Amino acid sequence: ALDEFETLDLAPHPARVVCRADHPLTRLAAPTVQEVLQYPIAGPSMAHEDIEAVLRLFPAAERRRLRQKGVLTIVCDSAPVLATVVQQSDCLALLYLFLVEDDLRAGRIRVLPNIEIKPGPSLGMARLRNRTLSRPAAAFLDALLEYDRELVERDALLLSELSAGTINPRVRR
C-alpha cells in the first residue's frame, strides 16, 4: 500500500522549451504558444500535475484539444536522446535546463524565450516509511540533497545568463 512509503521532494528545477540553435523559431524575438504548437514537441513522460502545468500555457480551447491528443508528440525518458532529436530536427523539447546545460553552453541548442513552465515538473525520491536508513543509504541521501542544491545554483546561473543573453561557454562544474 502507498501509505508504507514516504516521499522527499527535491527542489523545483526550471523546465524550458528548447530547440536546435538554427531552428526557425529562434529568428523570432518572442515566439507565441501558437507558433510553438506548429512543431512537434518531445519530452520525458510526465505526471498528471506536470502535464496540467504545461497545459496552463495554452488557451482553453487548445488545452481541450491537447488533453485529447497529448501534449507531447514524442515521449522519451533519455535526455541525451531528446537533445540529439532536437539538434537534428525541427522538434522542440521540454527539458530541465541542467540536463542540457552542456548543449546550451556549446551553442548546439537554445531556449525559447517567454515560455516558462511553472511550477515545473517535479523530482523526488520515495522510500519505505518507518525504516531506519543504513549508513550507506543515509550517505546516498545526503549526497543526493547536496547535488540537488548544486543543481539549484547552476539553474540560477543559467537562468541569469539566459535572461542577460550571455551564455558562458565554460565547462560546467
Side-chain angles (χ1 to χ4, degrees):
L2 290 178
D3 60 341
E4 294 178 23
F5 289 90
E6 68 177 298
T7 60
L8 172 66
D9 292 332
L10 298 176
H13 295 278
R16 296 292 190 275
V17 177
V18 299
C19 62
R20 65 182 159 83
D22 61 344
H23 192 283
L25 289 177
T26 62
R27 295 183 205 116
L28 305 175
T32 66
V33 170
Q34 292 298 36
E35 290 165 329
V36 166
L37 286 175
Q38 301 307 306
Y39 296 91
I41 301 174
S45 43
M46 294 187 287
H48 174 75
E49 54 273 5
D50 298 330
I51 292 169
E52 288 301 314
V54 172
L55 287 172
R56 283 193 288 273
L57 294 170
F58 302 101
E62 200 61 43
R63 281 195 297 267
R64 284 189 292 278
R65 186 181 73 75
L66 288 171
R67 273 195 186 93
Q68 291 174 345
K69 97 170 192 152
V71 173
L72 301 175
T73 310
I74 299 169
V75 177
C76 175
D77 290 325
S78 169
V81 169
L82 287 170
T84 299
V85 167
V86 165
Q87 290 172 49
Q88 297 179 6
S89 71
D90 278 347
C91 189
L92 308 173
L94 176 62
L95 289 168
Y96 294 116
L97 292 180
F98 69 82
L99 292 175
V100 291
E101 180 178 358
D102 291 340
D103 292 315
L104 281 168
R105 293 194 181 286
R108 291 184 291 267
I109 64 172
R110 295 199 25 211
V111 173
L112 291 179
N114 303 327
I115 301 175
E116 182 178 346
I117 290 80
K118 290 183 179 182
S122 51
L123 298 173
M125 65 166 282
R127 69 181 201 94
L128 288 171
R129 187 183 307 278
N130 300 325
R131 297 278 174 99
T132 304
L133 287 176
S134 66
R135 265 192 256 192
F140 172 79
L141 183 57
D142 288 344
L144 176 67
L145 293 172
E146 176 57 31
Y147 184 64
D148 192 48
R149 283 188 288 275
E150 289 174 17
L151 288 178
V152 167
E153 291 173 14
R154 285 182 17 210
D155 287 341
L157 178 61
L158 259 176
L159 286 171
S160 156
E161 291 174 356
L162 284 169
S163 67
T166 58
I167 290 286
N168 184 343
R170 70 170 169 71
V171 177
R172 68 179 187 180
R173 293 186 267 163

